[in-house]
Amino acid sequence: MHKRTNVRTNGCTDAQMREQIRKRTKTRMNKNTGLHPVLGYFAPSGLGGATHLIKKYSCMRGYPCQGGVCDYGLWAGLQPLAADFLPLYFEANPPMKHPQEPLDESRQGEALLLNSEQGAGKKLYLESYGCQMNFSDSEIVASLLAENGFSTTRNLYESDVILLNTCAIRENAEQRVRTRLRELQHLKKGKPSLVVGVLGCMAERLKDKFLEEEKLVDLVAGPDAYRALPSLIAEVESGQKAVNVLLSLEETYADVSPVRLTGNGISAFISIMRGCDNMCSFCVVPFTRGRERSRDPHSILQEARDLFDAGYREVTLLGQNVDSYLFYGGGPKKEFKALSPEEQSNAVNFAKLLRMVAEINPQLRVRFTTSNPGDMTDAVLESMAAYSNICKYIHLPVQSGSTSVLDRMNRGYNREQYMDRIAAIRRILPDCAISTDIIAGFCGETEEEHQDTVSLMNEVGYDYAYMFEYSERPKTLAARKFKDDVPAESKNRRLKEIIALQTEWSKRRNEEELGKEVEVLVEGLSKKSDQDVFGRTSQYKVVVFPKKHYKAGDYVRVKIHSCTSATLLGNSIE
Ligand code: 5AD
Ligand code: SF4
C-alpha cells in the first residue's frame, strides 16, 4: 500500500497530518518529470491513473498541463487518496492561475470553489469549461446556490449536485464535456441521489440528447436560467428531469451579489454584458447566449468597489463585445434608437464606463475583453490614455487577414478597416500591447488568403495570439451557407505556420522590453521557484523576479534583464 496509510497509522491527528502536508508541499515540482514531489510520495506506486491525478493537480497549481480533462478521483485506485488528500492539499496550496497561458485554455474542467466556505448544507461540485465569461457565470451560479444553502466542494465523492458549465465554441470543447459526463455516470451508479446537470452554452443545443437519448444528465439549464437552478434541482429530487434553456432579453444577473471562486485574491472578472448581436458566420455564441444586453453601470461600479475593499487590485470587465456596451435603463440595444435625445444622452457607453471604473481608485487596475474591431472607437482609446490604471493592453480579434475571408465570416470590417484601428491604437496608446484571435482554414480559405493572414500578422506584430483551426458549428451562418472544405491537413499546417510565426513575434515583442523598468502587480509565487514571485505588467506580460519581501497585491518596479517568448525576467528596484 502507499505511504499515505503509513502516515495515518503512525497515529497522526488530522492537525498533524495537515501540518505534514503543508511542510511537504513547500517543495516545488520536479522540473524533469513535471511531477510534484509530494504527489510522487503519496501516489500508489505502479498505478497509471496517478498520472491523471498529477496532471490535474499540476494544471490547477498553474503548472503546465499535458491537456485534456483529467479524471482525478474517479479512478477507483485513487478514490481514497482523492477523498482524503485533495481537501488538505488544496487547503495548503490554494490554486492559482496559470501565469503564461490564456485562462480559457489552461483552466478547462477546473472544479471551482467558493473562497469562503459556508457550513453545512448540500454540497455542490461545479466544473467550468470555455471562456472567461463562463468561469464568471460559474461564480453567479455558486452565489445563487449559496443563497439556497449549498456549499462548494472539490471532492466529487461528497457532492450532492454536480454541475458542468459547458462551452460549445468548437467541437473539441463539446467532446471534452461528453467524455466527462460519461465518467460521471460511474459515480451516479454508486449514489443514485446524486444530481448531475449541464449548464451554459451546450444546454440549448443538446438538451434533448443529454436528457433523453444519452440519459447522461438530470438537469439542463441555459446561461439565462441560473436563477431557476434551486427549483430545477428540487424538481430532479422529486424524480423528474428538469430543463430551462430560455434565453432572455433582460437578464444580466446585475443584482447577484458577487462571490469569488478560487482565484488569487488579486484579480477578478466582472461581467458587464451578456449575449452577442454580431452574427459572425462561424460563431455559435448568438445561439447559445442570446441577444446582447448591458448591465446597469451602478451594479458594475459597486462590484468593483467591493472587490477593491476586499483587497483586489485588478478587475477585468467582460463581454463578448465590450465596445458595444450601452446602458440606458435596461433591455436590448436595438431599442436605444427609439429613445428621446435626452434619454439617449444619459446613456453610459463603454468609453464612459471605463472612466467610471478607473476612478474608483488609482490602485485598481482596469482591464477588459473582448474588443471588436468594428465597434472600437477612438473615445475608448482616449479613456485608456487618460487613466494610467487602465491597462495598456487590447485583445482585438482579427480572425483572418484576408478581406474576402472576413466577408464570408460576416465580421463587418475589412483588412484596411482593421489596420485603421491598429493605427489608432498605436497613435493614441503608443505603449499598448495587442493580442488577437485567428482562425485557420475557414470555409473556402485559399492558400493566398492564408498568406494574407501571415502578412497581416507581420504588419501588426502581435504581442500574443490565440489561434484555432476552424470547427463547423451547427446552426451558424457558415454551417448553412458554406462548405467546411479546407482539408484537415491544410488547416493543421496553416495553424502550425501561424503559431510558429506568432512565437517569433511574441519573443521579439518581449525582447523590446529588455533593459526597461516596468510596473508589476504581483499575483503570487513563481511556478518554478518559491524564491521568485510573478506578476503582470500593464501590457499583460508575465514578469518573474526574486521574491524578497514582496507579496501578492504589491505594485513593484522591476528592471527587465532577460526573457523568453512567454516570460520576462527581472529584478526589483527598491
Ligand atoms: N471554429 C474555430 N474557432 C472559433 N472561434 C469562434 N468560433 C469558432 C469556430 N467555429 C474562435 C474565434 C473567437 C474565439 C473566442 O474562438 O477566434 O474569437
Ligand atoms: Fe464562452 Fe462562447 Fe464557449 Fe459560450 S461558446 S463558453 S460564450 S467561448
Side-chain angles (χ1 to χ4, degrees), residues 53-248:
L53 176 69
I54 288 155
K55 277 183 190 168
K56 182 72 187 183
Y57 276 136
S58 301
C59 165
M60 298 182 71
R61 292 284 298 130
Y63 301 142
C65 175
Q66 310 305 309
V69 172
C70 317
D71 55 354
Y72 75 83
L74 280 176
W75 205 79
L78 293 172
Q79 186 170 339
L81 182 75
D84 292 353
F85 177 67
L86 277 178
L88 297 175
Y89 180 85
F90 283 114
E91 192 183 301
N93 293 267
M96 60 193 183
K97 219 163 67 175
H98 192 301
Q100 272 136 25
E101 284 179 10
L103 199 142
D104 47 340
E105 290 305 323
S106 64
R107 289 180 60 185
Q108 301 306 308
E110 183 169 329
L112 301 172
L113 211 59
L114 282 172
N115 271 350
S116 59
E117 268 313 305
Q118 331 75 0
K122 283 188 200 148
K123 297 269 186 197
L124 166 69
Y125 180 96
L126 180 55
E127 208 168 80
S128 271
Y129 298 81
C131 61
Q132 189 51 62
M133 196 84 189
N134 238 26
F135 281 73
S136 173
D137 272 10
S138 290
E139 298 184 334
I140 290 170
V141 167
S143 170
L144 288 165
L145 287 174
E147 281 168 22
N148 283 268
F150 282 82
S151 59
T152 47
T153 176
R154 272 228 175 82
N155 181 349
L156 275 170
Y157 294 94
E158 64 171 25
S159 60
D160 302 297
V161 176
I162 298 176
L163 298 176
L164 303 191
N165 198 358
T166 64
C167 171
I169 197 112
R170 283 172 290 275
E171 198 180 338
N172 59 4
E174 286 197 357
Q175 210 43 52
R176 273 180 182 170
V177 170
R178 282 172 178 284
T179 310
R180 187 62 168 147
L181 284 172
R182 290 212 183 86
E183 290 165 356
L184 295 173
Q185 287 301 294
H186 301 300
L187 273 187
K188 209 164 153 59
K189 277 193 194 123
K191 188 176 178 184
S193 65
L194 183 68
V195 177
V196 178
V198 161
L199 315 178
C201 293
M202 285 170 76
E204 158 60 24
R205 196 169 84 71
L206 293 172
K207 59 180 187 298
D208 299 330
K209 252 185 153 17
F210 282 155
L211 286 170
E212 301 306 331
E213 288 171 39
E214 299 177 11
K215 301 205 184 320
L216 284 173
V217 301
D218 310 296
L219 177 160
V220 177
D224 290 342
Y226 298 148
R227 285 181 203 274
L229 273 172
S231 60
L232 292 171
I233 292 170
E235 245 178 79
V236 174
E237 284 168 343
S238 73
Q240 299 157 50
K241 299 268 177 193
V243 193
N244 185 339
V245 292
L246 290 179
L247 289 172
S248 156

Side-chain angles (χ1 to χ4, degrees), residues 392-408:
K392 305 300 178 277
Y393 168 60
I394 297 180
H395 182 61
L396 195 67
V398 66
Q399 313 298 358
S400 167
S402 150
T403 290
S404 43
V405 174
L406 289 171
D407 191 40
R408 294 202 288 286

Side-chain angles (χ1 to χ4, degrees), residues 104 169-170 282-284 395 397 399 411 437-439 466 468-473:
D104 47 340
I169 197 112
R170 283 172 290 275
F282 53 79
C283 189
V284 78
H395 182 61
Q399 313 298 358
R411 286 288 288 174
D437 290 344
I438 298 175
I439 297 179
Y466 305 119
F468 317 96
E469 273 179 34
Y470 173 61
S471 157
E472 185 176 278
R473 306 313 295 132

Side-chain angles (χ1 to χ4, degrees), residues 267-295:
S267 47
F269 294 85
I270 301 181
S271 166
I272 63 164
M273 59 204 295
R274 299 182 72 81
C276 185
D277 283 351
N278 278 5
M279 296 307 273
C280 301
S281 67
F282 53 79
C283 189
V284 78
V285 173
F287 305 97
T288 62
R289 290 190 161 263
R291 303 311 299 262
E292 181 185 302
R293 60 228 108 110
S294 296
R295 177 178 167 189

